[in-house]
Amino acid sequence: MRMSRYILKRLLWMIPVLLGVVTITFILNQMMPGDPARQLVGETATEEVYQAMREELGLNKPLLEQYGDYLWGLVSRGDLGTSYVTKQPVLDEILARMPTTMILAGLSVVFSVTLGVILGVLAATWQNSIIDYFSTFLSLIGVSMPNFWQGLMNIIIFAIALGWFPVSGFYGPRYWVLPVLTIGTSSMATITRTTRSSMLEVIRTDYIRTARAKGQTEFKVIVGHALKNALIPIITVAGLQFGGLLGGAVLTESVFAIPGVGKFMLDAISQRNYPVIMGGVLLLAAIYSVVNLVVDVIYSYADPRIKSQYQVRRRAVKGGVQ
């Protein structure tokens, strides 16, 4: 019951967060140079055609009225607006592209977490060895390289020069390798560093020395005891990195011409397609908030101490009622 109340409370807190996201995005759209109506009708269109387009898009209304209409449609009907360019509902346009972005982000999370945890554990287990130096070197490179630059280098080296992978698209496993490598490298570096520091703290504790003194194998000591107790900061970073990967997908999808939400939003920015920009940012913010909630729930299963706190509080509440 306590956990259910906590989840409900977190879901309610998402409402003001998403409201803030909508408000900030709306303000930034209005500050953006350019006029959507003029871009749609062209520079040579007459004033009558231009004003008719502004009226059709609702841009001739006061800003507060535009903001209120958008919020009312969002709350009452779940309507994210209509695309200025395609005249299709923004929600349908985004949902059609969301699976591609989620596959890209999901594969990148699997890549970064798997490789990051392995490198971090090896670096902590053999501290100050060649393995430790190598993982630290990779982490520094991964953190230092911008996604768009790495994507271009991957295309030049692995697609054009070597011909191992396709240059663009997202139509199968061979198309996934370079985008996943591009977007997952920086996250892998962060997870590696977090895993290493967390493992170094754990393997120096008394219960690890006790486990070794009992004659347990080194693999069981490291994986069964040390890694299990070092998971909390790793889970936190992995959850945060997933949100970062969704944001990084915007540039990566543009570099590799992947038909996902990120490229869709970048095209919308160049077209001054305000509803698409607001809808895309809102959905990505909602996904990021849900991921953070899921990470907090996972804590209780990764660390029995957290789960026991909820059980103790629940028994205390029942005892007080009785």
Side-chain angles (χ1 to χ4, degrees), residues 207-217:
Y207 66 86
I208 295 297
R209 286 192 289 268
T210 302
R212 287 188 173 124
K214 289 182 176 179
Q216 295 186 0
T217 62

Side-chain angles (χ1 to χ4, degrees), residues 117-179:
V117 170
I118 292 174
L119 288 176
V121 170
L122 293 176
T125 305
W126 286 282
Q127 187 182 8
N128 298 325
S129 65
I130 294 180
I131 296 177
D132 189 12
Y133 297 145
F134 177 72
S135 64
T136 303
F137 176 71
L138 285 182
S139 299
L140 290 175
I141 292 179
V143 171
S144 303
M145 287 191 301
N147 283 341
F148 69 90
W149 181 86
Q150 185 188 356
L152 293 175
M153 293 301 102
N154 287 338
I155 290 176
I156 293 173
I157 296 172
F158 297 108
I160 297 177
L162 299 177
W164 291 352
F165 303 104
V167 174
S168 62
F170 205 69
Y171 309 110
R174 292 186 68 249
Y175 293 85
W176 300 347
V177 175
L178 292 184

Side-chain angles (χ1 to χ4, degrees), residues 71-251:
L71 280 184
W72 175 249
L74 180 63
V75 173
S76 62
R77 305 185 302 274
D79 184 13
L80 296 180
T82 302
S83 171
Y84 291 165
V85 177
T86 64
K87 309 301 181 184
Q88 298 296 319
V90 172
L91 183 60
D92 294 343
E93 296 262 26
I94 293 177
L95 290 181
R97 295 166 173 81
M98 185 62 74
T100 300
T101 299
M102 295 302 293
I103 290 174
L104 176 59
L107 292 174
S108 301
V109 167
V110 173
F111 165 76
S112 59
V113 171
T114 303
L115 192 58
V117 170
I118 292 174
L119 288 176
V121 170
L122 293 176
T125 305
W126 286 282
Q127 187 182 8
N128 298 325
S129 65
I130 294 180
I131 296 177
D132 189 12
Y133 297 145
F134 177 72
S135 64
T136 303
F137 176 71
L138 285 182
S139 299
L140 290 175
I141 292 179
V143 171
S144 303
M145 287 191 301
N147 283 341
F148 69 90
W149 181 86
Q150 185 188 356
L152 293 175
M153 293 301 102
N154 287 338
I155 290 176
I156 293 173
I157 296 172
F158 297 108
I160 297 177
L162 299 177
W164 291 352
F165 303 104
V167 174
S168 62
F170 205 69
Y171 309 110
R174 292 186 68 249
Y175 293 85
W176 300 347
V177 175
L178 292 184
V180 168
L181 179 63
T182 299
I183 196 176
T185 301
S186 59
S187 298
M188 179 272 295
T190 303
I191 293 174
T192 298
R193 297 169 67 180
T194 303
T195 304
R196 180 183 182 276
S197 61
S198 181
M199 285 290 295
L200 285 176
E201 291 181 5
V202 172
I203 61 178
R204 293 167 181 165
T205 55
D206 293 336
Y207 66 86
I208 295 297
R209 286 192 289 268
T210 302
R212 287 188 173 124
K214 289 182 176 179
Q216 295 186 0
T217 62
E218 188 67 13
F219 179 82
K220 186 173 182 179
V221 170
I222 296 300
V223 177
H225 296 284
L227 180 58
K228 185 177 181 181
N229 287 277
L231 278 179
I232 292 299
I234 299 172
I235 293 174
T236 303
V237 172
L240 294 175
Q241 290 302 313
F242 182 78
L245 291 173
L246 288 174
V250 174
L251 292 176

Side-chain angles (χ1 to χ4, degrees), residues 26 30 54 57-73 84 274 278:
F26 180 83
Q30 300 304 321
R54 283 185 60 85
L57 299 179
L59 297 175
N60 57 342
K61 299 179 181 178
L63 293 181
L64 286 179
E65 186 176 349
Q66 294 181 40
Y67 178 71
D69 290 343
Y70 186 84
L71 280 184
W72 175 249
Y84 291 165
Y274 296 158
M278 294 184 64

